[in-house]
Amino acid sequence: AFVLQSYDPSSRAITLRILATIPNIIMNKLTLHHGIKNSLGTENKEEAEAVYYTLDQLCPISSSFAKGVLPKLLEIIDDLCTSKVHKICCIKLLRHMHHDIEMASAAKAKLEAIISVYITVDFKIAILHTLTLLSVKVP
């Protein structure tokens, strides 16, 4: 957990990749959840890839983590300064917001709201694919 607070983005990225390999062990570790959430929105490409990979591994199995990270994902999607690649990664992560109706509804509402805003094919495919996967998994 201390490495996630490091000033070295490469160290944080390696730590995030390691944490992604043990999601069942860390699924209830709130201090690690906090460190992972703090890495969201990083400008470092290596760390960003690692945090999205970690989120992809942890969100499907930890409802508390998914619920805690959802507002940050929605914020990143709305942020005008966020790159296209990061937005698409966050959009794809919304497929894991199926743990309860509130989370699924919030994710679905965001996807439906942005489908008319983002007109490129990459965004349309990511949004429609995520909506499909989310619809299949909602309780």
Side-chain angles (χ1 to χ4, degrees):
F2 293 115
V3 179
L4 290 175
Q5 298 170 0
S6 167
Y7 289 111
D8 180 21
S10 295
S11 297
R12 290 192 306 263
I14 291 168
T15 303
L16 288 164
R17 291 278 182 183
I18 292 169
L19 292 174
T21 65
I22 54 170
N24 291 324
I25 296 171
I26 65 168
M27 64 186 277
N28 295 318
K29 308 283 187 193
L30 296 179
T31 55
L32 291 175
H33 291 188
H34 182 69
I36 295 166
K37 283 189 269 189
N38 284 343
S39 293
L40 263 172
T42 182
E43 297 296 321
N44 182 279
K45 181 183 176 191
E46 182 181 311
E47 185 180 3
E49 289 174 0
V51 76
Y52 292 130
Y53 179 70
T54 305
L55 291 171
D56 199 38
Q57 302 304 308
L58 193 54
C59 284
I61 63 170
S62 176
S63 61
S64 63
F65 181 74
K67 185 174 271 195
V69 81
L70 178 60
K72 184 68 175 174
L73 292 175
L74 298 178
E75 178 185 318
I76 291 170
I77 292 169
D78 284 339
D79 189 358
L80 296 175
C81 297
T82 304
S83 72
K84 174 184 173 182
V85 173
H86 291 294
K87 284 186 187 218
I88 289 176
C89 286
C90 290
I91 288 168
K92 289 179 178 180
L93 285 168
L94 293 179
R95 75 185 185 277
H96 299 306
M97 302 302 147
H98 55 78
H99 298 283
D100 63 42
I101 296 296
E102 289 177 25
M103 287 172 39
S105 296
K108 184 179 176 217
K110 174 54 71 184
L111 292 167
E112 290 172 345
I114 64 173
I115 197 159
S116 60
V117 175
Y118 297 113
I119 57 173
T120 64
V121 174
D122 294 341
F123 276 109
K124 296 280 187 191
I125 290 171
I127 292 167
L128 291 172
H129 188 251
T130 303
L131 273 169
T132 302
L133 294 174
L134 188 60
S135 298
V136 170
K137 293 181 181 178
V138 174

